[in-house]
Amino acid sequence: MNHMDIIMGNVMENATEIKSEVMIELKKVNMSFKERRILYNVDLQVKTGETLVVIGPSGAGKSTLLRLMIGLLRPDSGEIWVDGQEISQLNEDGLNQIRRNMGMVFQYSALFDSMTVGENVAFGIRQHTKMPEDEIHAVIKRSLRMVGLMGKENVMPSELSGGMKKRVSLARAVALKPKIVLYDEPTSGLDPVMSTTINRLIMSTQRILGVTAVVVTHDMDSAFTIADRIAMMYDEKIIEIATPDEFRQSENPLVRQFISGVRNNCIPVRRRG
Ligand code: ATP
């Protein structure tokens, strides 16, 4: 057990029991922006408790997929099921109920510059709950301790490095012990040491809280480290979904080209059109 396991105590025991169920499901989802189609009849299941990593070329629709899952976008057609509820037609109140069990780590950390670290972490709690202030302070402390930023609650985001900001963003995402955490490029712009730290935090969060995680990334090392399964998006669809081992052995030429392109720092497969 590492220190995070001890902090979160016995929550761990429930973490792996329910892996066969589905936490998020997309059924025949279509999505366009103006004339441009981004997703075509996409079907996807994210199993309860798994970490699904989504990869694919720039512009393939990876962030769009995450934003659909948290109800920040509505699909043109199709169904999006989250924790047993179809969310694509829910109003803001309904979506806020669903989001109570979801955390999101945005691509550029998305911290409020005018708020302290503690206020940033507590933002969702103050918005979504009537939790008393003393409990909120306990949650801030616990969440910051989880990401190794104990005692930083009164610091302003401008005083933090990029890696620390990502960790605050992660603390905010897990503050209410969500069932689901969505990560958009959690290691982008970070040095390898900080990337490793973030990868470890993602894995600990999944293991300790038992969360279902969907991680969008271009970082293949990170993908192979943290994923239970990897899904590759290309040309409006998910063209492959497999465990990391199966993915490495994939005979799909687009998958092979993408993996080697990213590894060799070349331009990966391009989208048609
Ligand atoms: P990257 O890896 O570069 O972040 P991505 O795979 O996450 O890319 P998305 O951000 O989902 O791709 O965007 C997919 C396409 O949809 C892009 O061409 C993008 O410009 C377009 N797009 C995304 N959001 C909007 C929007 N709100 N309005 C119009 N077009 C959008």
Side-chain angles (χ1 to χ4, degrees), residues 28-167:
K28 301 263 171 294
V29 167
N30 287 285
M31 184 74 203
S32 317
F33 292 112
K34 298 201 177 119
E35 297 303 295
R36 168 136 189 244
R37 195 163 63 190
I38 309 297
L39 304 178
Y40 177 65
N41 271 355
V42 167
D43 287 320
L44 173 67
Q45 288 192 337
V46 187
K47 296 177 201 165
T48 303
E50 81 169 332
T51 297
L52 178 75
V53 172
V54 182
I55 63 166
S58 244
K62 304 179 296 297
S63 301
T64 301
L65 196 74
L66 288 190
R67 279 149 63 205
L68 285 164
M69 287 174 180
I70 200 165
L72 290 173
L73 291 173
R74 286 186 201 276
D76 300 336
S77 62
E79 294 176 8
I80 299 174
W81 290 81
V82 177
D83 199 15
Q85 203 171 345
E86 209 283 304
I87 67 157
S88 66
Q89 303 306 322
L90 285 182
N91 61 20
E92 268 312 296
D93 283 349
L95 286 170
N96 279 334
Q97 293 277 333
I98 295 287
R99 289 181 192 137
R100 167 71 181 71
N101 282 317
M102 300 177 94
M104 177 137 183
V105 178
F106 290 92
Q107 195 165 357
Y108 300 104
S109 302
L111 301 181
F112 298 105
D113 289 336
S114 58
M115 294 182 188
T116 64
V117 162
E119 286 164 349
N120 267 286
V121 171
F123 185 77
I125 307 175
R126 291 194 172 118
Q127 267 217 323
H128 294 302
T129 74
K130 294 187 167 53
M131 193 182 282
E133 276 303 305
D134 55 340
E135 276 180 47
I136 293 181
H137 283 284
V139 172
I140 294 171
K141 275 192 187 318
R142 185 194 68 211
S143 308
L144 288 175
R145 194 168 46 187
M146 261 189 80
V147 299
L149 291 177
M150 215 154 51
K152 298 280 186 206
E153 42 272 69
N154 294 321
V155 171
M156 299 305 286
S158 57
E159 298 169 56
L160 301 177
S161 69
M164 287 165 112
K165 283 183 190 165
K166 292 262 188 198
R167 284 194 273 163

Side-chain angles (χ1 to χ4, degrees), residues 163-197:
M164 287 165 112
K165 283 183 190 165
K166 292 262 188 198
R167 284 194 273 163
V168 174
S169 180
L170 206 145
R172 179 174 62 186
V174 301
L176 283 173
K177 294 191 183 168
K179 291 184 182 177
I180 298 167
V181 185
L182 308 177
Y183 300 88
D184 199 353
E185 298 276 0
T187 58
S188 73
L190 302 182
D191 66 48
V193 175
M194 189 50 72
S195 295
T196 303
T197 304

